């Protein structure tokens, strides 16, 4: 387990300098500067800007790559052996069996452990041994269906040699990446301890006893004063209180929060979760001190230490990749299909009133990050409202003639497809709100408890709220409450199929323009 060292940043680690290098928000919705955090907390956060690499994604990539290499080298070997005369059914069977058995045996040989992958000689020896066992299994299977005289020896020999060579080279290439990622700490899971004192010390000691532990403790946060919760526990520094933790997690890329408070302290845990559930991280409650046992679906393990799974990060690991692939594919397709409409709209805006065609507006993105959202300009240039301090109403004199049409039809939102390709927005998700958006003269975050929980995923061009009738003006507290409820429902029930449903339902919902001004 790596302990963070302080005073390692070159230059001035002041809040002003750090906030300028990052678009993340602090806990105060209207203030981008993380001014409440201590100098030590800011220094640690500055070292945690980059995302870690998901172990599930890495393992899946390695398995998929191995299976692909086995199949491709098999096909090449088959095509290179002109005298080969095997029915195509056996060829397909051999390729499939070798890929499946190969991945299984490689797993048994620990060929997918990041630590083991750094040991070149050991890896190659284990790889060749496992690869030989794959062919032993393959030949045994072929003998069940073919006479021994018809076993394609030349084909198998070419496949074995080429497969071993390509698999070995692939692992050497991956080893160079793994060494680099390990040095940068990107293959570790970053954790923050919530609660200090003896409970935290016991948990740290237990984690440090685990072999091949991949947890990097980034600091401790506790509301108790130094008399009850020491400023340092087992070499890890207390960086602030729970409110500071929310601010810290807006800046640093954290994977999980490990709550060390005893499970029996229910009231205190509930108070903590009311503050922390808005963060896009896993929250786990340590059961180590209570010596409890749980069903598998209610618990998980960090090393051998049991934890109660309180909240899980939404859309993580392979889901993140699936959603990003979905966004890129459908956003690209939409840009091609709608390019003529967008060109005509840009021309009409230019002819209708002076000013730029595209309007940029600061809005809240993932984890309260501030992003520039693109829209076709629908207001007169000298009347635009960058912070949306006043919502657009029916007959609003600030809206141009063309603006009324493109707002009614949501054509003004089409440039946000570029935000999707840039990775700032998703096609489907909670709609991004402007900084000063209000309902009945109250900021949205002051109207809805846990409002910022909707930022646990990337905002979207369309969303569940939009197809459920909550599109358009949110001038009343009830409207924004209903919209946020829809957003939370989407986050908790996300799937690719739900995104498809929302995406294909959206055009039909745009025909309902009663609340769109």
């Amino acid at each position: 387990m790596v302990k963070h060292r302080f005073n390692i940043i070159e230059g001035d680690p002041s809040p002003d300098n750090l906030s300028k290098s990052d678009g993340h928000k602090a806990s105060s919705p209207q203030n981008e500067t993380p001014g409440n955090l201590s100098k030590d907390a800011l220094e640690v956060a500055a070292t945690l800007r980059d995302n870690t690499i998901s172990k599930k994604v890495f393992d899946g990539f390695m398995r998929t790559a191995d299976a692909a290499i086995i199949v491709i080298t098999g096909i090449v070997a088959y095509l290179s052996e002109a005298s080969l005369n095997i029915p195509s059914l056996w060829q397909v069977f051999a390729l499939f069996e070798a890929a499946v058995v190969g991945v299984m045996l490689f797993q048994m040989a620990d060929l997918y452990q990041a630590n083991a992958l750094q040991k070149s000689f050991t890896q190659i020896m284990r790889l060749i041994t496992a690869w030989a066992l794959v062919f032993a299994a393959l030949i045994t299977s072929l003998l069940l269906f073919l006479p021994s005289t018809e076993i394609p020896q030349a084909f198998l020999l070419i496949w074995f040699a080429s497969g071993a060579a390509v698999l070995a080279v692939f692992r050497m290439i991956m080893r160079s990446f793994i060494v680099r990622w390990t040095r940068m700490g990107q293959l570790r899971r970053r954790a923050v301890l919530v609660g200090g004192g003896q409970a935290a010390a016991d948990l740290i000691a237990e984690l440090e006893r685990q072999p091949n532990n991949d947890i990097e403790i980034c600091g401790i946060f506790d509301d108790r004063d130094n008399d009850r919760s020491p400023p340092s526990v087992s070499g890890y520094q207390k960086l602030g209180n729970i409110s500071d933790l929310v601010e810290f997690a807006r800046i640093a890329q954290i994977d999980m929060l490990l709550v060390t408070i005893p499970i029996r302290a229910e009231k205190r845990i509930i108070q903590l979760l009311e503050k922390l559930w808005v963060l896009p991280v896993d929250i786990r409650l340590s059961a180590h001190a209570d010596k409890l046992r749980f069903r598998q679906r209610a618990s998980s393990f960090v090393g051998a230490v049991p934890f109660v799974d309180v909240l899980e990060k939404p859309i993580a690991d392979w889901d993140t990749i699936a959603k990003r692939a979905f966004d890129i594919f459908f956003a690209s397709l939409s840009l091609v299909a709608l390019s003529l409409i967008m060109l005509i709209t840009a021309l009409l805006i230019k002819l209708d009133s002076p000013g730029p065609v595209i309007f940029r507006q600061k809005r809240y993105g993932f984890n309260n990050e501030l992003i520039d959202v693109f829209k076709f300009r629908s207001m007169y240039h000298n009347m635009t409202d960058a912070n949306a301090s006043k919502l657009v109403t029916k007959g609003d004199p600030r809206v141009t003639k063309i603006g009324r049409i493109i707002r009614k039809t949501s054509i003004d939102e089409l440039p946000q497809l570029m935000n999707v390709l840039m990775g700032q927005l998703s096609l489907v998700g909670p709609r991004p709100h402007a900084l000063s958006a209000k309902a009945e003269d109250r900021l949205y975050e002051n109207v809805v408890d846990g409002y910022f929980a909707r930022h646990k995923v990337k905002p979207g061009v369309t969303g569940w709220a939009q197809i459920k009738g909550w599109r358009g003006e949110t001038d009343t507290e009830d409207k924004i409450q209903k919209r946020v409820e829809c957003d939370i429902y989407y986050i908790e029930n996300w799937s690719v199929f739900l995104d498809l449903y929302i995406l294909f339902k959206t055009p039909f919902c745009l025909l309902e323009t009663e609340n769109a001004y």
Side-chain angles (χ1 to χ4, degrees):
M1 211 159 29
V2 175
K3 296 184 180 181
H4 271 285
R5 301 187 180 210
F6 301 102
N7 303 319
I8 60 174
I9 304 175
E10 296 181 4
D12 179 12
S14 65
D16 289 340
N17 286 347
L18 289 174
S19 64
K20 289 176 183 176
S21 65
D22 191 281
H24 288 75
K25 262 190 46 56
S27 59
S28 174
Q30 303 304 319
N31 185 0
E32 290 185 53
T33 302
N36 295 329
L37 290 177
S38 67
K39 179 181 177 181
D40 287 338
L42 287 170
E43 288 182 356
V44 173
T47 67
L48 304 173
R49 302 284 185 170
D50 297 329
N51 284 316
T52 55
I53 296 172
S54 166
K55 186 178 182 296
K56 290 182 180 178
V57 173
F58 175 77
D59 288 351
F61 168 77
M62 291 294 295
R63 288 175 173 80
T64 303
D66 280 345
I69 289 172
I70 291 171
V71 171
I72 292 171
T73 54
I75 293 173
V76 171
Y78 176 79
L79 295 175
S80 66
E81 181 52 46
S83 63
L84 186 59
N85 186 22
I86 305 178
S88 59
L89 178 62
W90 305 125
Q91 176 200 1
V92 173
F93 171 78
L95 293 172
F96 177 78
E97 180 186 2
V100 173
V101 174
V103 171
M104 291 174 60
L105 288 176
F106 292 172
Q107 172 68 38
M108 294 172 63
D110 285 336
L111 294 178
Y112 297 122
Q113 299 294 328
N115 292 335
L117 282 168
Q118 298 184 56
K119 303 172 183 178
S120 303
F121 180 77
T122 304
Q123 274 283 299
I124 298 303
M125 291 299 100
R126 289 185 176 185
L127 174 66
I128 294 174
T129 302
W131 187 230
L133 291 175
V134 171
F135 273 77
L138 184 59
I139 292 171
T140 301
S141 298
L142 290 176
L143 285 172
L144 296 176
F145 304 103
L146 296 174
S148 58
T149 56
E150 295 184 20
I151 296 295
Q153 297 179 11
F155 159 64
L156 293 176
L157 183 61
I158 295 172
W159 189 7
F160 178 82
S162 61
V166 176
L167 286 167
V169 169
F170 170 67
R171 269 169 169 66
M172 292 301 98
I173 293 173
M174 289 307 302
R175 178 186 179 278
S176 64
F177 283 102
I178 290 168
V179 170
R180 179 169 173 251
W181 292 335
T182 301
R183 186 173 62 250
M184 298 173 64
Q186 290 184 281
L187 288 176
R188 303 179 67 83
R189 289 180 291 171
R190 297 170 181 164
V192 165
L193 300 189
V194 182
Q198 189 58 45
D202 292 342
L203 177 58
I204 292 170
E206 184 65 31
L207 290 174
E208 290 181 337
R209 280 195 292 268
Q210 306 301 322
N212 299 322
N213 176 53
D214 67 340
I215 294 295
E216 177 182 359
I217 295 180
C218 303
I220 300 171
F221 289 82
D222 197 337
D223 275 338
R224 295 175 297 177
D225 56 31
N226 290 344
D227 292 337
R228 299 179 60 199
S229 175
S232 178
V233 178
S234 301
Y236 297 94
Q237 185 167 355
K238 186 168 70 173
L239 301 177
N241 57 32
I242 303 305
S243 296
D244 294 333
L245 172 54
V246 175
E247 191 172 332
F248 179 84
R250 299 295 191 199
I251 306 170
Q253 299 292 338
I254 300 298
D255 297 308
M256 65 179 72
L257 305 180
L258 303 181
V259 181
T260 66
I261 299 167
I263 295 175
R264 58 185 178 273
E266 296 180 6
K267 184 176 180 181
R268 188 177 172 205
I269 290 173
I270 291 173
Q271 291 173 343
L272 291 175
L273 294 179
E274 286 178 348
K275 295 182 179 180
L276 299 176
W277 80 286
V278 300
L279 297 174
V281 296
D282 292 339
I283 300 180
R284 299 182 182 181
L285 183 60
S286 173
H288 171 66
D290 294 84
K291 305 297 182 185
L292 300 178
R293 293 293 179 265
F294 300 93
R295 291 175 297 174
Q296 185 63 33
R297 68 169 180 256
S299 64
S300 61
F301 289 83
V302 177
V305 181
F307 286 84
V308 180
D309 296 334
V310 180
L311 291 170
E312 292 185 353
K313 180 180 180 180
I315 313 181
D317 302 321
W318 282 104
D319 289 343
T320 303
I321 295 175
K323 189 165 177 61
R324 184 62 182 145
F326 179 97
D327 287 342
I328 292 173
F329 176 78
F330 282 104
S332 301
L333 195 65
S334 299
L335 275 174
V336 173
L338 300 171
S339 57
L340 182 59
I341 293 176
M342 294 177 70
L343 286 172
I344 293 174
T345 301
L347 179 62
L348 292 175
I349 291 172
K350 202 67 180 174
L351 294 174
D352 183 50
S353 63
V357 170
I358 299 297
F359 173 63
R360 297 188 181 199
Q361 189 176 57
K362 291 282 186 186
R363 295 196 178 188
Y364 290 128
F366 172 71
N367 201 18
N368 278 29
E369 179 183 6
L370 291 181
I371 58 175
D372 284 320
V373 170
F374 304 142
K375 298 182 69 174
F376 280 126
R377 180 175 58 83
S378 59
M379 294 184 179
Y380 292 103
H381 181 52
N382 62 336
M383 296 183 182
T384 54
D385 184 2
N387 293 326
S389 54
K390 180 183 178 183
L391 292 177
V392 176
T393 56
K394 189 173 183 178
D396 199 312
R398 298 174 297 170
V399 180
T400 65
K401 295 177 182 178
I402 295 299
R404 297 189 193 285
I405 298 173
I406 63 177
R407 291 179 73 92
K408 279 277 187 183
T409 56
S410 290
I411 291 175
D412 64 322
E413 310 284 359
L414 292 183
Q416 290 169 31
L417 293 171
M418 294 304 300
N419 287 112
V420 174
L421 293 180
M422 293 166 62
Q424 297 171 320
L425 296 183
S426 182
L427 268 179
V428 182
R431 286 290 297 146
H433 292 159
L435 306 188
S436 299
K438 298 177 182 178
E440 298 180 7
D441 292 326
R442 295 177 65 198
L443 293 171
Y444 289 164
E445 59 264 29
N446 295 330
V447 173
V448 183
D449 289 336
Y451 168 80
F452 288 114
R454 67 193 301 276
H455 300 156
K456 293 165 73 169
V457 299
K458 286 183 184 178
V461 178
T462 184
W464 184 251
Q466 282 62 48
I467 69 167
K468 286 298 179 179
W470 299 106
R471 169 181 172 243
E473 187 180 18
T474 50
D475 55 332
T476 67
E477 294 186 3
D478 182 63
K479 287 181 180 179
I480 188 59
Q481 183 76 43
K482 293 295 185 183
R483 180 177 285 192
V484 173
E485 287 177 4
C486 287
D487 294 338
I488 300 302
Y489 174 86
Y490 168 80
I491 292 171
E492 294 178 347
N493 295 275
W494 175 86
S495 70
V496 172
F497 296 106
L498 181 60
D499 274 5
L500 276 171
Y501 174 78
I502 294 172
L503 191 62
F504 287 108
K505 184 86 172 176
T506 295
F508 300 100
C509 295
L510 294 179
L511 299 176
E512 176 57 57
T513 61
E514 181 181 353
N515 295 322
Y517 307 132

